[in-house]
Amino acid sequence: MDNTTETPVTIIGLGRMGQALASAFLKAGHPTTVWNRTAAKADQLVAEGAELAPTVADALKAGPLTIVCVTDYQAVHGLLGADDVELDGVTLVNLTSGDSTQAREAARWAEQRGARYLDGAVMAIPPAIGTADAVILHSGPQADFDAHKTTLDALGTVSHLGADHGLASLYDVAGLAMMWSVLNAWLQGTALLKTAGVDAATFAPFAQQMATGVAAWLPGEAEQIDSGSFPAEVASLETHVGSMAHLIEESEAVGVNAELPKLIKAMADRAVAAGHGGEQYAVLIEEFSKPRVE
């Protein structure tokens, strides 16, 4: 591919993810400039055709689009806030992990210095970058995303969530909550079945079927949450509470940790005490939506 036809890209930060991002741009034919505090991390990328910039300031001057993927937001400010760094006219896509407050503050900080700013979250492991399996979320001005979407497509399946710069970070942690909840539920079930000699590999297909089935309920549950009405179309919360008690009793009887089901039941018990026992499970959103009172 003729590199001169593709948009130049700069990558600041060459950890495993930064290296994967740079490699994906190179494979897609984009002239790619890289910078890292430890320059040796760029050696393989340089061998693949990347240009190593001597300073952050030089890296930013190499093209209109700069991807930042460093340790944390403090590092972002430290690198891009140096006296010799000019941000005016640069589009920054910050894929550094952080929270939504940091993302919004970074957006204001960058825009005050003349940069266009998109915050992002990479929902993938480094080997997936450059494939459709790599989901990469962006938030910030729609026009800035649209201007560079064709270039960003080299990284995987990219999407724009909205103008609020904090949305990508919020989606990131919401996705992690889903991931850990599914894994923890599977581990609870696996621990139970191990007491009867059933191994994890045997349970996994059944667990996968259960997870897929429950996932299919989400659009309907979402309609109830968004409408604020929770008729018990399938089962009441009180019915679920009875099953939760059974799970706790079974876990304790066979010597398996019951902390997780006890936590879930405690939240459900509070909802029942508040008068929601006859409503559908999604009414628990009211418990999740408020801070825990000690």
Side-chain angles (χ1 to χ4, degrees):
M1 182 179 293
D2 180 1
N3 285 351
T4 61
T5 67
E6 303 296 337
T7 302
V9 180
T10 292
I11 306 292
I12 293 176
L14 297 177
R16 288 188 179 89
M17 185 59 72
Q19 290 182 37
L21 297 171
S23 182
F25 281 125
L26 285 167
K27 289 175 182 175
H30 293 275
T32 303
T33 299
V34 297
W35 181 89
N36 193 70
R37 196 179 300 278
T38 303
K41 288 190 175 182
D43 289 349
Q44 180 57 44
L45 293 168
V46 171
E48 294 174 14
E51 182 76 23
L52 176 62
T55 68
V56 171
D58 291 320
L60 288 164
K61 294 173 184 175
L65 180 64
T66 294
I67 313 293
V68 184
C69 187
V70 292
T71 306
D72 52 34
Y73 277 72
Q74 184 177 355
V76 173
H77 289 286
L79 292 171
L80 302 184
D83 291 339
D84 64 335
V85 172
E86 177 60 60
L87 295 182
D88 191 39
V90 173
T91 295
L92 294 175
V93 178
N94 186 14
L95 298 182
T96 301
S97 295
D99 61 41
S100 59
T101 298
Q102 290 175 315
R104 295 180 185 117
E105 290 174 347
R108 289 192 292 270
W109 178 85
E111 289 167 353
Q112 287 169 359
R113 286 157 180 77
R116 296 181 180 278
Y117 182 91
L118 293 169
D119 209 86
V122 181
M123 310 297 288
I125 58 176
I129 299 299
T131 74
D133 291 334
V135 174
I136 303 176
L137 310 176
H138 301 81
S139 52
Q142 180 77 52
D144 294 338
F145 174 77
D146 290 345
H148 296 283
K149 182 182 183 301
T150 301
T151 300
L152 295 169
D153 280 340
L155 301 179
T157 302
V158 302
S159 62
H160 182 258
L161 303 172
D164 177 359
H165 286 94
L167 281 173
S169 291
L170 285 173
Y171 265 77
D172 184 19
V173 292
L176 291 174
M178 287 289 300
M179 177 185 75
W180 289 323
S181 295
V182 171
L183 286 172
N184 287 339
W186 176 68
L187 291 171
Q188 181 82 36
T190 299
L192 282 165
L193 287 168
K194 281 182 65 179
T195 66
V198 179
D199 60 25
T202 300
F203 177 47
F206 174 79
Q208 191 172 28
Q209 184 179 30
M210 287 291 296
T212 301
V214 173
W217 302 349
L218 298 185
E221 300 289 309
E223 287 182 10
Q224 290 199 341
I225 292 169
D226 291 341
S227 69
S229 177
F230 304 94
E233 298 170 349
V234 178
S236 70
L237 183 59
E238 285 179 327
T239 299
H240 283 283
V241 169
S243 297
M244 292 172 190
H246 176 60
L247 172 58
I248 293 167
E249 292 163 2
E250 185 70 60
S251 297
E252 292 179 335
V254 297
V256 166
N257 189 305
E259 288 176 87
L260 180 59
K262 283 182 176 179
L263 173 61
I264 296 168
K265 185 174 182 295
M267 296 181 72
D269 285 341
R270 291 198 297 271
V272 170
H276 300 298
E279 297 177 270
Q280 192 148 301
Y281 194 88
V283 75
L284 273 180
I285 187 64
E286 297 184 9
E287 290 298 318
F288 280 97
S289 297
K290 59 190 180 185
R292 173 71 185 275
V293 177
E294 299 294 341

